[in-house]
Amino acid sequence: AQSVAQPEDQVNVAEGNPLTVKCTYSVSGNPYLFWYVQYPNRGLQFLLKYITGDNLVKGSYGFEAEFNKSQTSFHLKKPSALVSDSALYFCAVRDMPAYKLSFGAGTTVTVRA
Amino acid sequence: NAGVTQTPKFQVLKTGQSMTLQCAQDMNHEYMSWYRQDPGMGLRLIHYSVGAGITDQGEVPNGYNVSRSTTEDFPLRLLSAAPSQTSVYFCASSYSMEQNTEAFFGQGTRLTVV
């Protein structure tokens, strides 16, 4: 069975500092990993995905994620956080059966000015 | 291009009432799904459809029905609302079931059952 874990409920950083949101996964086959962001009272927006290839994936709004197969992790990163990055972030994995995206519980990011 | 559109945005129901949450997408996506979002639990799959006329259950289907008469529309019906169905509901679509395909989400329906 596939699953993802986001070990931190909340992450607080100062504007301009690096931001990391952690995610670990468990799948039976090859991992197809996604990050989504949810702003208040909005739907989920796709940020980036890992399919295969380079372990560093670049996505929207300056975010990137690092895939580490040995540690089964897919951490989301941003070199310099903005106040506008404050939101709820979800990691998700798509495994067989392919219809299902399994989401982590989410991490609330707060970036203080 | 509107993407995925959900209506209504907010709804309050009394226990035992029924209602239908609407979802429409204009991207000609074959695959559509419904999720519910509850605090600390992420999103859980309720029902999904791989094309017009085809639906199947997800991980939390009890108390919900779906139909897919057209490619564009995928309504979710609550048969007899219960307080446990208080949640935020999201409809999503993707252009295929391939594992590398991201999903596009609607803005959600916040449902309260009293």
Side-chain angles (χ1 to χ4, degrees):
Chain A
Q2 62 199 43
S3 65
V4 293
Q6 294 180 243
E8 300 162 317
D9 292 336
Q10 291 200 346
V11 170
N12 298 307
V13 298
E15 189 172 35
N17 282 1
L19 169 63
T20 298
V21 186
K22 296 180 180 178
C23 172
T24 59
Y25 66 90
S26 174
V27 297
S28 54
N30 292 323
Y32 295 84
L33 297 156
F34 303 80
W35 275 101
Y36 287 85
V37 60
Q38 183 181 27
Y39 297 102
N41 300 314
R42 302 292 299 274
L44 277 72
Q45 296 180 28
F46 169 73
L47 279 178
L48 50 81
K49 63 182 177 183
Y50 172 81
I51 306 302
T52 187
D54 291 340
N55 290 341
L56 187 64
V57 179
K58 293 190 182 299
S60 305
Y61 312 121
F63 283 94
E64 56 191 28
E66 187 172 8
F67 173 72
N68 187 316
K69 188 173 183 179
S70 63
Q71 296 184 3
T72 61
S73 66
F74 188 54
H75 300 333
L76 181 70
K77 300 182 179 183
K78 187 169 185 180
S80 179
L82 301 172
V83 172
S84 57
D85 294 328
S86 298
L88 181 57
Y89 291 80
F90 289 101
C91 181
V93 64
R94 192 166 227 164
D95 193 8
M96 293 304 292
Y99 62 79
K100 186 179 177 193
L101 267 174
S102 294
F103 286 86
T107 299
T108 299
V109 171
T110 302
V111 182
R112 60 184 184 277
Chain B
N1 192 336
V4 180
T5 302
Q6 289 183 238
T7 56
K9 287 187 170 55
F10 301 94
Q11 182 71 49
V12 178
L13 288 179
K14 294 182 179 179
T15 298
Q17 286 184 314
S18 64
M19 79 159 294
T20 300
L21 309 185
Q22 302 292 342
C23 175
Q25 52 91 9
D26 61 359
M27 298 174 282
N28 200 32
H29 285 174
E30 288 296 320
Y31 179 70
M32 296 185 74
S33 53
W34 276 101
Y35 290 84
R36 59 177 289 173
Q37 181 184 21
D38 301 292
M41 300 185 73
L43 278 76
R44 291 180 292 167
L45 182 65
I46 304 172
H47 285 283
Y48 67 98
S49 169
V50 301
I54 306 170
T55 65
D56 208 342
Q57 297 180 350
E59 55 185 320
V60 288
N62 292 341
Y64 307 95
N65 274 353
V66 291
S67 60
R68 185 94 180 270
S69 56
T70 66
T71 298
E72 295 77 19
D73 300 301
F74 189 44
L76 176 73
R77 184 167 177 80
L78 278 71
L79 308 172
S80 177
S84 62
Q85 293 179 304
T86 294
S87 186
V88 181
Y89 292 84
F90 288 100
C91 179
S93 74
S94 54
Y95 59 84
S96 82
M97 279 179 58
E98 295 295 322
Q99 289 176 272
N100 61 354
T101 304
E102 64 269 28
F104 294 84
F105 286 81
Q107 292 201 350
T109 296
R110 186 174 295 274
L111 175 68
T112 302
V113 182
V114 298

